[in-house]
Amino acid sequence: MKIKEIISVLEEMAPLAYAEDFDNVGLLVGDQDVEATGILVCHDALENIIDEAIAKNCNLVVCFHPILFSGLKKITGKNYVERAIIKAIKNDIAIYAVHTALDNHQEGVNKIFSDALGLVNTKILIPKQNFIRKLVTFTIPENAEELRNALFDAGAGNIGNYENCSFNSKGIGTYMGNEHSNPQIGERFEFVQGDEIKIEVTFEKHLENKILKALFKSHAYEEVAYEIYELQNQHQNVGLGMIGELKNPMTQEDFLLFVKEKMQCGGIRHSNFTGGTITKVAVLGGAGSFAIKNAIQAGADVYLTADLKYHQFYEAENKLLLADIGHFESERYTKNYIVEYLRKKILNFAVILSEENSNPVKYL
């Protein structure tokens, strides 16, 4: 199996189009055309992780955080990033990062976080905006079903928990072909007027090339009339953070002790207790101070995230409980999920969970 075949599986799990614009995801180091010897899955692709990959005969490291985040002007081994990259290149080890591509997936980081706490009725906290587009096209009635099905197969027509969604309306189409035309119906220079079906479907923007390929392949006409619109609505199944409910309400103190145990936290920093109970829980793995207002607007009783600064705890405004459980801790089980996913998709191949703890934060 070549590395590029494994990458295809990884992109099914975490489509790169889901990643935030600032992020650096995908294949960061290595040649995708070489044969894979094994996959080592980790949280951070540090130098000791590369050593582990060498020892376990894995030439592909799949990490959550990208070891290469911003541009490098020199690679001299002067810091931990450069040393890891140099060692990976010297030993022909590829590095692939998923990061916010998995953060934004409805089954990704924040669903993993929510499941660890036993939350139910979960939904995306901050749905991704400007990610949905609409295709409008026109065809003869005899071609409509075949064309719709081709568009569905290419990924169009998915809305929330529903698939194969479209809107179809009847109308009258007209055209007249010139000397270079080869019309499906009628002759050159003949004015043709006939029944047509207008088909409208929505799709995720990264699927546009695939959608258009299906459109042109399955459409009955020589010249395909179509329109694509960028929609302003939100994608309810793609986005950052998650909000859900506890099966049984807890006091605030009991809940934080519960979180500390479940997420194996060295400590939890939190805002003032408000005196209420915890039922509705918002989570965002990693640095999530930007979503405090979203958690409040969503009616959360508590917001669990990481990397909160001193003054950001004031933003709780006694409207909810803010809790910083630690960056690594909030993403703790992500690598386990990646391993389980790959083992289900790639049978009879070594997919290894790293034994190294890459959390740089220690507690007394």
Side-chain angles (χ1 to χ4, degrees):
M1 174 176 283
K2 291 189 175 181
I3 287 176
K4 65 182 178 183
E5 296 175 79
I6 299 169
I7 288 175
S8 294
V9 176
L10 288 166
E11 291 186 3
E12 289 176 6
M13 178 190 73
L16 298 185
Y18 285 10
E20 296 297 307
D21 293 339
F22 64 79
D23 204 5
N24 189 30
V25 293
L27 185 64
L28 306 182
V29 175
D31 183 355
Q32 66 175 356
D33 289 317
V34 304
E35 290 290 327
T37 59
I39 307 168
L40 181 68
V41 179
C42 66
H43 202 80
D44 301 276
L46 306 174
E47 189 177 6
N48 61 333
I49 299 293
I50 305 302
D51 288 332
E52 185 182 8
I54 294 169
K56 295 177 178 176
N57 193 33
C58 296
N59 65 347
L60 173 60
V61 170
V62 176
C63 53
F64 178 64
H65 288 140
I67 186 68
L68 284 173
F69 195 76
S70 54
L72 292 178
K73 293 184 178 180
K74 298 178 182 178
I75 305 180
T76 61
K78 68 180 180 181
N79 58 44
Y80 75 97
V81 173
E82 294 179 13
R83 288 192 294 273
I85 298 302
I86 289 172
K87 183 165 286 190
I89 292 172
K90 281 184 175 180
N91 290 278
D92 297 320
I93 293 174
I95 301 175
Y96 185 98
V98 293
H99 205 209
T100 57
L102 192 57
D103 274 316
N104 277 307
H105 198 286
Q106 64 175 337
E107 297 296 328
V109 174
N110 296 295
K111 184 62 163 63
I112 299 164
F113 193 170
S114 298
D115 288 347
L117 299 176
L119 301 185
V120 296
N121 302 323
T122 55
K123 62 180 182 180
I124 300 293
L125 179 64
I126 310 175
K128 206 168 184 62
Q129 297 188 18
N130 303 321
F131 198 72
I132 302 175
R133 292 181 179 173
K134 177 188 279 190
L135 168 72
V136 178
T137 190
F138 312 83
T139 191
I140 55 176
E142 296 82 359
N143 177 232
E145 182 177 0
E146 177 188 351
L147 181 56
R148 273 196 307 269
N149 289 335
L151 295 173
F152 295 153
D153 289 343
N158 294 322
I159 302 176
N161 296 321
Y162 295 85
E163 58 185 28
N164 295 359
C165 302
S166 68
F167 186 81
N168 305 267
S169 50
K170 295 180 180 180
I172 302 296
T174 66
Y175 60 83
M176 182 172 66
N178 61 23
E179 67 272 20
H180 303 295
S181 66
N182 184 26
Q184 178 75 17
I185 299 173
E187 303 294 334
R188 296 173 183 172
F189 304 111
E190 178 187 356
F191 179 77
V192 177
Q193 177 175 295
D195 293 336
E196 285 192 343
I197 302 294
K198 179 182 180 182
I199 301 173
E200 302 177 60
V201 290
T202 58
F203 60 92
E204 295 179 356
K205 67 178 183 180
H206 66 284
L207 296 175
E208 183 169 324
N209 289 339
K210 189 176 180 182
I211 298 294
L212 290 179
K213 184 177 180 180
L215 173 67
F216 296 141
K217 183 178 180 180
S218 300
H219 205 289
Y221 287 165
E222 179 186 24
E223 296 288 353
V224 179
Y226 70 95
E227 303 160 3
I228 289 179
Y229 301 95
E230 183 177 289
L231 304 182
Q232 298 298 312
N233 53 359
Q234 299 175 329
H235 195 312
Q236 59 186 300
N237 287 335
V238 178
L240 291 169
M242 192 153 280
I243 187 163
E245 299 171 353
L246 289 172
K247 292 179 182 178
N248 299 301
M250 296 185 187
T251 66
Q252 294 179 335
E253 185 173 358
D254 285 345
F255 177 72
L256 290 187
L257 291 172
F258 167 76
V259 172
K260 185 176 181 180
E261 177 189 356
K262 288 293 184 181
M263 305 307 291
Q264 302 174 41
C265 305
I268 295 179
R269 299 186 304 139
H270 62 85
S271 61
N272 287 329
F273 288 136
T274 66
T277 57
I278 302 296
T279 300
K280 204 167 186 181
V281 181
V283 303
L284 197 153
S289 62
F290 62 88
I292 294 172
K293 62 181 181 298
N294 301 92
I296 293 173
Q297 289 168 358
D301 300 311
V302 62
Y303 176 44
L304 305 177
T305 188
D307 300 347
L308 296 179
K309 295 180 180 179
Y310 175 86
H311 290 94
Q312 289 166 340
F313 284 96
Y314 288 125
E315 296 179 29
E317 295 279 6
N318 211 41
K319 296 176 180 177
L320 84 173
L321 178 64
L322 280 180
D324 184 333
I325 73 167
H327 194 121
F328 177 87
E329 289 80 3
S330 68
E331 301 166 341
R332 173 180 295 282
Y333 301 113
T334 301
K335 63 180 182 180
N336 304 70
Y337 172 85
I338 296 171
V339 167
E340 291 169 7
Y341 186 93
L342 290 176
R343 285 176 177 169
K344 289 177 183 176
K345 296 289 185 176
I346 306 174
L347 304 179
N348 303 317
F349 193 83
V351 181
I352 300 171
L353 178 65
S354 172
E355 297 175 2
E356 298 288 335
N357 183 345
S358 61
N359 188 3
V361 180
K362 309 301 176 186
Y363 300 89
L364 283 174

